[in-house]
Amino acid sequence: MVPLRQVAMPVTGCTKKPDRSQARRGERVVRVFLSSTFRDMQDERDALVKDTFPKIKEACAKRFIFFSEVDLRWGITEDQSEQGDLVGICLAEVDKCRPYFIGIIGERYGYIPKNLKPEILAKYPFIAQLDSPRSVTELEMLYGALSADSATHALFYMRDPAVSDPAACDNEEKMRLLKRRIRVSGLPLKFFSSPVQLASFILRDMSDLIANDFPEETQPDPFEVKCAIHTGYAENQCKCYVRNCSYEAELADFISASDLGALVLVGTPGIGKSTLVSQWSMRAQELGGDSVVAYFVGTDGDVSPKCVLEYVLTFIKKEFGLVDQVPSTTQDLIREFPRWLTLVPSSRHLTVIIDGVSKLDSDGGVEMRWLPDTFPTNVKVIITAVAFSPTHTAALARNWTIMHAQPFTPEQKRDFTRQYLSLFGKSLAPDQEALICSAEQTSVPLFLRSLLEELRVHGNFELLNAKVRWYLEAPSAVELFVKILQRLEQDYGEALVREVMCLIFVSRRGVSENELLSILGGSQLQLSLFLESAHEHLRLRAGLLAFSHDYLRLAVQQYYSLSDTQPTYIRMLTNYFANGNGALDKRRKADELPKLMHQSFNREGVLGALCDIEVFLQLFTATRKYELKKYWLYAEPSRQSIGLRMNAALATYQSTVTPDVYRRVIMKVARFLREMLDYEGAKRLLQCAIEINTAHGGTTNHPSVAKAYYMLAEVYWNEGNLKEAEPFALQALAIRENTLGAEHLAVAESLCSIGELLISSDPAQAKQYLLRSLSIRLAHYGTNHTLVARCLQSELQKQTKRKSGHAPCRPRSCC
C-alpha cells in the first residue's frame, strides 16, 4: 500500500523534489497541473479552460504574474500511450507545476497503464513499490499531492454523491480507496454538484493561494508600473522562442559597430519582430554589462512619441543617477532628448529598443521626426516597424541600418510547435505535426502560434486531425482569423461576437467591458466568457479591449463587411458617448466622441462635442491641442465663430461650477482662442476672468489676476500692438512681485516678457529686465535649463536688434 499523506513515504520511493515554489524563487510565475479522468469530466474541464483559468490569468496579469495551466485532456498521442510514455509525460508535467496541483474526482477511476518502460520506473521508483497497478490519474495525485513531501498547494474537488452516476464507475474498489486517501490527507477538499460550482470553487481557491504567495506590494511609482508592464510583455513574447543565430549575429555587429544611426528591424506583421527584440533585450539584461531599455508601443495603453520619450528619459535618469528633471511637454522632450543621451557616462553603454513605431498615432510619430538623425557612440537605438511603412521609408532616407525579419524555416516551425505545446504539456502526433509544418502559411510565426492556440483549447483529441485540416484551409493569417471568428460564433453566438468585434473596430482606442454591457445589454456572464476565450487575440490596455494585431482587424473588416455596415456600429458607439449619464468617463468621451462624429461626417456633431466644456478641457492639453484644433477647423473653418460658440458653451457651464473653477476654465478657453487667432474673443474672456476674481475675491492684487494681465499682454503682442501690451505686462509684474516675492519664477517670467517687449523701444531698459530674469532662473535652475537659454536668447536678440533695427519676435506661450 502507498502510505497516506500523514505517513512518510520512503525516500527510495519518491525522491523529494527541490523547492520549486515560484514565489520563493522570486519568479512571478504560477503553473498549475489539472488532474482528473477524461471522459466523465469533459464539461468540468471545458468550464475551467474557457472560463476560470482565463479569469485567473487576467487577474494575475494585472499584478505582473504569468499564469498558465497544464490540462492533459488531450496532447498525448496514441503512440506515446502505447509505448508506455503516458505516465512519464504526466509526472514530468507535475514536476514542472510544483507546488500547484488541482485534483478532480468523479466516478471513473481511469486508464491503468501496462508495460511501463524501465526508464520511467527508474525515474519514479514509487510506482514499483505499489501493491497493484494504478491509474494514470491516481499516479498523478500520489506523486503531485498525496505523498508526504509533495506540494502544499494542492486542492481537491469531488463530485457530490447526490449527482453522481454509479453506473459510470469502472473500478469501484480502487476508487473507494483513492477517495479515502484524499479525505484523510488533510488537504483542502470540496464537493461540487455542477461544472459551474466547481469553476467558482477553483477560481476562489486559486486566487487565495496566489494572493498568499504574491502579497500585494506597496504601490510602485508610475515608471515602475510601466516598466513591469513592458517587462511582462517581453517575457510573454519570450516564452516560446526559436533561436536564430544569424539574427543575433547581425544585432551584435550593430551594437559593436561605430555607426551613429539607428538599426530598424522591418518585416510583415506577425513575422516575429517583437519576439526577436524581446528575446534579445531579456538575454542582454541577464548577461549584465550594458544597460538596456525596451519600450513596446501600445503595451501600456499609450501610442504617442511623448510617452516613448518620457519612458526612455526616466530610465536614463534612474539608471545613471541624474538630477535633471524629465521634461513634461512634447516639444521639450523632443528638444531635450539628444542632450539627455549625451548624459550617459562615456564608460557605460545604453541600448534603446522601441518596438512597433508603426503603431504611433501622433502627427509625425511614424516618420520618427521626434528622433534625432544620429546618436552618441555609446548609445545604440533599435527600432521595429512594418516593412514599406512610413517608418521604413524614413529610416532609408536617414541612411540607417535596415535588418529584415524572415519567415520560419520548416525546422523552425517544428521547433516552435513543440516548444509552444510543451508549455501546456501537449504534443502532436507526427502526422499532425508534419501537416502543420509543411503548410506554407505557417511560416508566419503569428499564424502558427494562433493555430496552435486554437488547437490547444480544442477539447476533443479524436477530432483534432479534422480541426487541423480545417484551419489550414486558410491561405493567410487574415483568413485564419476569419475561421477563429467563426469558431467563437459557434461557442458564444454570432450576434455577440459580431457586435463586440465591430464596436472595437470602429472605436479609437478600444472599448471597455462595462461599455460593451451598456451598449449591448444581455448577460454579463456570456460576455465575460466570450472575452476570456478571445483573450489571446484581444489586448487589454488601460482597461480597454483592442485588437492585438492588424490581422484580426482586417479579418473583422472582411468577415463582417464593414465597408457597408460600419455606420451602424459608429452610430451605436456615438449614441452611448453622446447620451451617457454623468457617470460616463470624461476622458473616454473626449477620446471617442469627436472622432466618431468626424467619421460620420457630422460637422455639427463635432462642434457639439467640442463645445462640451469637459471634452474641451480633456483635449486642450500640451499633447492633444493639435487634435482639438484639427477638429475645430474641420467643423468650423471660420475662426471668428469659434469664440461665439465657446461663449455659449461657457454660459451653460457656469451654473454647474464654482466661480473660481469657472474663472480658471475661461482663462484656458481664452488661451485656446488666442492660439486660434480669435484675439477679440480672448480679450473679452480675460477681462471677464479679472472681473470674476475682483467680484468674488474682493481684490485685483492676486496671482490669478496677474496671470490674466500677463495673458492680455500676450494677446496684444500677438496682434502686433506693443504699446497696449506693455501696461498689462507691467501690471502683471507688479502684482506678482507684491504677492509672490521678487525672486519667484513667475516674476522671472514677467521680467523676461517685458524685456522682450522693450527690445525695440528701449534696449537699455530691456537689458535690465532680461538680466534680472536671468538671475532668478539661474538661482532656481542652474546653467543647464531651457528657460535660462531663453533669457540668453532674448539678450542676443537685443544685440542683433541694435545692428539690424528689426522688430522683436512674437512671444511664445510661456517665456
Side-chain angles (χ1 to χ4, degrees), residues 70-81 85-86 89-90 93 414 416-434 436 452 455-456 461 464-465 468:
V70 172
D71 169 26
L72 295 180
R73 58 183 167 157
W74 75 263
I76 299 172
T77 66
E78 291 180 11
D79 286 345
Q80 289 170 331
S81 179
D85 292 333
L86 177 59
I89 293 170
C90 292
E93 289 301 324
R414 180 200 63 207
F416 183 91
T417 298
R418 294 176 181 178
Q419 281 187 33
Y420 188 81
L421 291 178
S422 71
L423 293 173
F424 308 96
K426 300 182 186 297
S427 61
L428 293 168
D431 58 328
Q432 295 167 339
E433 183 181 279
I436 290 173
L452 296 175
L455 299 179
R456 182 184 75 81
F461 185 66
L464 196 60
N465 284 334
V468 169

Side-chain angles (χ1 to χ4, degrees), residues 314-324 340 343 345 348:
T314 304
F315 175 88
I316 292 174
K317 177 181 173 69
K318 290 177 176 288
E319 181 77 358
F320 302 108
L322 304 183
V323 297
D324 301 56
W340 273 69
L343 299 179
R348 303 281 300 275

Side-chain angles (χ1 to χ4, degrees), residues 406-622:
Q406 302 295 336
F408 273 161
T409 64
E411 294 76 17
Q412 289 171 330
K413 290 192 230 180
R414 180 200 63 207
D415 293 344
F416 183 91
T417 298
R418 294 176 181 178
Q419 281 187 33
Y420 188 81
L421 291 178
S422 71
L423 293 173
F424 308 96
K426 300 182 186 297
S427 61
L428 293 168
D431 58 328
Q432 295 167 339
E433 183 181 279
L435 180 61
I436 290 173
C437 293
S438 64
E440 181 180 354
Q441 57 270 46
T442 58
S443 299
V444 177
L446 178 63
F447 186 107
L448 181 55
R449 177 170 176 157
S450 301
L451 168 63
L452 296 175
E453 176 63 21
E454 283 295 293
L455 299 179
R456 182 184 75 81
V457 300
H458 181 63
N460 194 326
F461 185 66
E462 286 74 17
L463 300 179
L464 196 60
N465 284 334
K467 207 66 174 177
V468 169
R469 286 191 293 270
W470 183 71
Y471 280 120
L472 288 178
E473 290 173 0
S476 70
V478 174
E479 281 73 16
L480 173 66
F481 284 110
V482 167
K483 287 184 173 292
I484 292 173
L485 290 171
Q486 292 170 345
R487 192 271 298 173
L488 290 169
E489 287 180 345
Q490 291 174 358
D491 288 349
Y492 302 101
E494 185 272 335
L496 177 64
V497 176
R498 170 174 44 81
E499 290 175 344
V500 168
M501 291 298 189
C502 291
L503 287 171
I504 293 174
F505 181 91
V506 301
S507 68
R508 179 182 183 180
R509 300 194 187 278
V511 187
S512 73
E513 186 172 346
N514 285 338
E515 288 167 354
L516 289 171
L517 280 171
S518 298
I519 296 169
L520 301 177
S523 164
Q524 182 172 12
L525 175 61
Q526 187 67 10
L527 176 62
S528 297
L529 289 173
F530 160 58
L531 294 178
E532 285 150 11
S533 179
H535 75 280
E536 285 289 335
H537 312 301
L538 298 176
R539 178 181 296 171
L540 188 65
R541 304 186 303 195
L544 302 178
L545 293 157
F547 298 131
S548 291
H549 34 74
D550 289 336
Y551 284 135
L552 178 56
R553 170 175 287 277
L554 292 172
V556 169
Q557 183 178 28
Q558 172 184 308
Y559 184 55
Y560 295 116
S561 304
L562 280 171
S563 58
D564 301 321
T565 61
Q566 186 169 338
T568 300
Y569 301 102
I570 292 177
R571 189 160 51 249
M572 291 169 68
L573 208 54
T574 300
N575 290 340
Y576 170 75
F577 286 110
N579 304 320
N581 56 34
L584 189 64
D585 189 322
K586 300 168 186 175
R587 292 171 298 176
R588 291 287 297 128
K589 186 174 183 179
D591 277 344
E592 298 292 344
L593 188 56
K595 180 70 173 179
L596 290 165
M597 292 294 187
H598 186 267
Q599 285 179 292
S600 303
F601 307 102
N602 185 343
R603 294 179 186 270
E604 281 300 317
V606 173
L607 288 173
L610 299 182
C611 287
D612 181 328
I613 297 298
E614 295 293 353
V615 171
F616 168 84
L617 294 174
Q618 292 293 324
L619 293 176
F620 190 56
T621 63

Side-chain angles (χ1 to χ4, degrees), residues 8 120 124 360 505 681 723 775:
I120 292 178
Y124 306 104
L360 292 172
F505 181 91
K723 270 191 176 180
S775 176

Side-chain angles (χ1 to χ4, degrees), residues 11-210:
V11 174
T12 56
C14 184
T15 304
K16 184 169 182 175
K17 301 298 169 186
D19 181 7
R20 294 182 52 88
S21 172
Q22 293 93 336
R24 285 185 282 275
R25 296 202 316 271
E27 301 176 10
R28 301 184 72 81
V29 176
V30 174
R31 200 167 187 263
V32 61
F33 187 88
L34 179 61
S35 175
S36 80
T37 49
F38 295 167
R39 295 179 186 175
D40 62 333
M41 290 292 171
Q42 187 70 51
D43 292 341
E44 284 79 2
R45 284 171 173 261
D46 280 344
L48 293 175
V49 171
K50 294 182 178 180
D51 177 25
T52 302
F53 292 146
K55 283 180 178 176
I56 296 173
K57 185 177 294 185
E58 181 179 355
C60 284
K62 293 177 181 177
R63 297 169 60 186
F64 317 122
I65 301 167
F66 175 73
F67 175 88
S68 66
E69 77 283 356
V70 172
D71 169 26
L72 295 180
R73 58 183 167 157
W74 75 263
I76 299 172
T77 66
E78 291 180 11
D79 286 345
Q80 289 170 331
S81 179
E82 291 172 0
Q83 294 169 10
D85 292 333
L86 177 59
V87 171
I89 293 170
C90 292
L91 299 188
E93 289 301 324
V94 170
D95 275 335
K96 293 178 185 178
C97 294
R98 293 184 188 275
Y100 301 101
F101 184 96
I102 294 174
I104 308 174
I105 297 292
E107 296 74 43
R108 284 184 53 79
Y109 179 68
Y111 168 70
I112 299 177
K114 301 174 182 178
N115 303 320
L116 293 178
K117 289 183 175 181
E119 55 264 33
I120 292 178
L121 294 174
K123 186 174 182 180
Y124 306 104
F126 81 95
I127 299 176
Q129 297 180 3
L130 298 171
D131 59 0
S132 62
R134 305 300 169 90
S135 69
V136 175
T137 302
E138 182 169 1
L139 292 175
E140 292 170 349
M141 293 179 178
L142 290 172
Y143 185 66
L146 296 175
S147 63
D149 59 351
S150 294
T152 56
H153 287 10
L155 302 170
F156 279 96
Y157 304 89
M158 286 188 190
R159 186 178 280 134
D160 192 322
V163 296
S164 295
D165 179 11
C169 185
D170 55 346
N171 196 319
E172 185 175 347
E173 179 60 19
K174 286 187 180 293
M175 179 58 79
R176 182 184 65 81
L177 291 173
L178 175 57
K179 288 183 176 181
R180 178 175 176 271
R181 285 190 178 92
I182 294 171
R183 288 192 187 97
V184 302
S185 68
L187 292 169
L189 172 64
K190 292 181 179 177
F191 291 86
F192 66 93
S193 58
S194 69
V196 173
Q197 187 180 42
L198 173 67
S200 67
F201 283 160
I202 292 179
L203 176 62
R204 181 168 62 249
D205 295 342
M206 280 300 302
S207 298
D208 289 344
L209 281 179
I210 294 168

